[in-house]
Amino acid sequence: MPKAQYGGRHTVTMLPGGGIGPELMEHVKEIFRVGGMPVDFEIVNIDPQSDGNLDLEYVITSIKRNGVAIKGNIETGSLDTGIASRNVALRNELDLFVNVLNCKSYEGVPARYPDKIDIIIVRQNTEGEYAMLEHESVNGVVESMKIVTAENSERVARFAFEYAKQNGRKKVTTIHKANIMKISDGLFLETSRRVAKDYPEIQHNDMIIDNCCMQLVSNPHQFDVMNMTNLYGTIVSNVICGLMGGAGLLSGRNYGDHYAVFEPGTRNTGTSIAGKNIANPVAMLNAAVDMLDHLGHKTHANILSRSIRKTVVDDGIRTADLGGSASTSDVVSKIKKYVIEETSQMKW
Ligand code: NAI
């Protein structure tokens, strides 16, 4: 956690990204203003069309300086632009080796899976299928490299088991395709089995990714903490978000040894709904809750989290993706009202 500045305030990098990111960040800023949250934002942007890396370098320097960031997703662009993903480059540069999603159902919110789900996804975040190392070896034959290292497999497995231990969880399930990718996923699986031996109090099992997707939609309650490589992680995250109510609810946390970046869990841009005042603001606001919590501003994090729940669960004020008829600003106004009510009653 970075040290606070004068008055206990933190400066955090804010990268609005593309699509719905900028409008949602305006809501984050406004809620922080009315709630007196002790955070100042350094706002940085990346032009998705530019193929130079100057703006990316500037963003990375800003995050290194502040230690913490909140971000929307940067549009990667179509195949023909040839521009590599800035999201991936940013995570790699900052060595944000793990992505964590707390997938806990919002009771009463319409969802594909009506019963309560409570799963933690721990995903390797910097290598695997996201190595972006592809080439056409001869005409019509393309090779794409999947990089799995013992070092990063161990870091992510240890994170999963430590998380389980510290949060009273009982089981870690490692997800893989080691029956086909015997060397790469085999290394990931063997490493997690080795790490599991250091945590005899936590049960460890493993499951092949295809079966895992089927099990998730038929019996998600068997999962507790899930540990997996990068591509399986994004697929499983999107499946679970879909079961629980879609892209607009859950947040995701990216951690390395030195920096932390908070963002919506499914990491998409929502470009088709941008500027229409219909995007669900909850995932981005939950990212802000995670960020406040990480900075040690627990009281403010709890106020914002409670205000979101009161609005979405108790009052049923929800955007169309959750079966409601409220606009983004309707949801935000109600959350803001609760934040103001709670903070005005606080004795600091
Ligand atoms: P998208 O941005 O089109 O979103 C998928 C669906 O979720 C759309 O129907 C969208 O309207 C809906 N949605 C997203 N956020 C919402 C919100 N807050 N409230 C209500 N509905 C919401 O996703 P797509 O096409 O997968 O990705 C677009 C861009 O995001 C691409 O540049 C891609 O590279 C990037 N991206 C997407 C990831 C994903 O997991 N889908 C992961 C990483 C990057």
Side-chain angles (χ1 to χ4, degrees), residues 65-102:
R65 191 168 51 234
N66 297 320
V68 173
I70 183 166
K71 82 179 266 292
N73 208 52
I74 306 147
E75 196 82 45
T76 301
S78 55
L79 293 179
D80 51 7
T81 62
I83 299 173
S85 169
R86 314 301 172 78
N87 303 293
V88 174
L90 188 142
R91 284 177 218 126
N92 290 350
E93 266 310 303
L94 297 170
D95 189 28
L96 300 168
F97 68 92
V98 67
N99 174 247
V100 188
L101 254 75
N102 281 33

Side-chain angles (χ1 to χ4, degrees), residues 18-78:
I20 54 178
E23 63 199 83
L24 296 183
M25 289 303 190
E26 285 306 312
H27 295 307
V28 170
K29 283 193 285 181
E30 177 59 8
I31 287 176
F32 273 49
R33 189 185 68 77
V34 300
M37 314 290 185
V39 171
D40 299 305
F41 293 110
E42 180 185 355
I43 297 162
V44 292
N45 285 297
I46 289 183
D47 175 4
Q49 301 308 326
S50 92
D51 52 5
N53 277 331
L54 262 181
D55 43 3
L56 180 65
E57 277 170 29
Y58 186 81
V59 169
I60 289 167
T61 306
S62 163
I63 299 176
K64 284 186 174 170
R65 191 168 51 234
N66 297 320
V68 173
I70 183 166
K71 82 179 266 292
N73 208 52
I74 306 147
E75 196 82 45
T76 301
S78 55

Side-chain angles (χ1 to χ4, degrees), residues 79 88 127-138 140-148 181 184-185 230-232:
L79 293 179
V88 174
E127 55 181 34
E129 306 82 354
Y130 282 58
M132 299 194 292
L133 294 173
E134 296 183 311
H135 63 272
E136 192 168 24
S137 42
V138 291
V141 179
V142 171
E143 293 176 308
S144 175
M145 285 197 233
K146 166 169 172 164
I147 309 291
V148 177
M181 284 168 264
S184 53
D185 278 23
N230 211 340
L231 183 63
Y232 309 151

Side-chain angles (χ1 to χ4, degrees), residues 20 24 73-78 85 87 91 123 130 234-235 237-238 246-249 264-273 278-284 319-322:
I20 54 178
L24 296 183
N73 208 52
I74 306 147
E75 196 82 45
T76 301
S78 55
S85 169
N87 303 293
R91 284 177 218 126
R123 161 187 176 190
Y130 282 58
T234 188
I235 295 169
S237 304
N238 277 252
L249 274 181
T266 54
R267 293 175 170 172
N268 35 32
T269 52
T271 302
S272 59
I273 56 170
I278 56 172
N280 189 343
V282 170
M284 190 66 88
T319 43
D321 54 306
L322 299 178

Side-chain angles (χ1 to χ4, degrees), residues 1 28 66 71 94 137 142 215 217-218 221 230 236 240 261:
M1 196 215 306
V28 170
N66 297 320
K71 82 179 266 292
L94 297 170
S137 42
V142 171
Q215 298 291 333
V217 293
S218 53
H221 296 122
N230 211 340
V236 167
I240 300 185
V261 174

Side-chain angles (χ1 to χ4, degrees), residues 98 118-123 153-176 188-189 191-207 212 221-229:
V98 67
D118 186 4
I119 299 172
I120 308 293
I121 300 177
V122 176
R123 161 187 176 190
S153 302
E154 167 149 4
R155 284 168 103 191
V156 75
R158 213 162 272 291
F159 188 99
F161 280 96
E162 272 302 317
Y163 187 97
K165 188 176 160 182
Q166 284 168 26
N167 291 278
R169 297 279 177 158
K170 305 260 176 299
K171 184 167 84 171
V172 173
T173 305
T174 296
I175 308 300
H176 62 92
F188 189 81
L189 177 58
T191 307
S192 51
R193 283 183 178 151
R194 185 167 48 75
V195 171
K197 291 194 179 123
D198 295 340
Y199 300 84
E201 69 281 24
I202 312 283
Q203 193 193 330
H204 181 233
N205 67 347
D206 65 272
M207 197 177 281
C212 164
H221 296 122
Q222 67 187 287
F223 297 105
D224 189 350
V225 176
M226 301 175 82
N227 166 44
M228 64 199 89
T229 57

